[in-house]
Amino acid sequence: MATITAKKSVFVMDDDEFEQLVKPVAEAAKTAALDAGAWFSYKNELCTAPDMVIHEFKDGKKELVKIGEKPGDYTVLKVF
């Protein structure tokens, strides 16, 4: 007969436990997206307006971009 090990519910995990649970899944999704030619988007201190994000590419290139009004439209403000 198979042994079943109970796992802690995400609803009772503290922040660190939850982060450790989802971090491998998030990293795998990021790697798969980059391998498929997509970029990874996030905000940091360079994003001084709500419509600004960082695009990071597999080769390490990063762009500060301003998101346009139409889906898929953006303007590159800075490459680093």
Side-chain angles (χ1 to χ4, degrees):
M1 180 173 246
T3 302
I4 299 173
T5 303
K7 297 189 183 214
K8 192 172 188 179
S9 169
V10 297
F11 299 107
V12 295
M13 290 180 179
D14 63 30
D15 291 345
D16 290 334
E17 290 171 319
F18 186 74
E19 181 179 342
Q20 292 304 312
L21 177 69
V22 300
K23 189 173 185 176
V25 176
E27 288 295 325
K30 177 182 172 182
T31 299
L34 292 172
D35 287 346
W39 56 78
F40 179 70
S41 298
Y42 57 92
K43 291 182 175 264
N44 66 15
E45 66 280 351
L46 298 174
C47 303
T48 57
D51 59 351
M52 295 169 73
V53 297
I54 304 293
H55 285 173
E56 184 174 336
F57 298 87
K58 185 175 183 174
D59 64 2
K61 181 179 84 170
K62 298 178 185 179
E63 299 173 338
L64 174 63
V65 302
K66 180 177 179 171
I67 303 299
E69 291 184 23
K70 296 179 184 176
D73 287 350
Y74 65 91
T75 303
V76 178
L77 303 173
K78 182 178 181 180
V79 177
F80 49 100

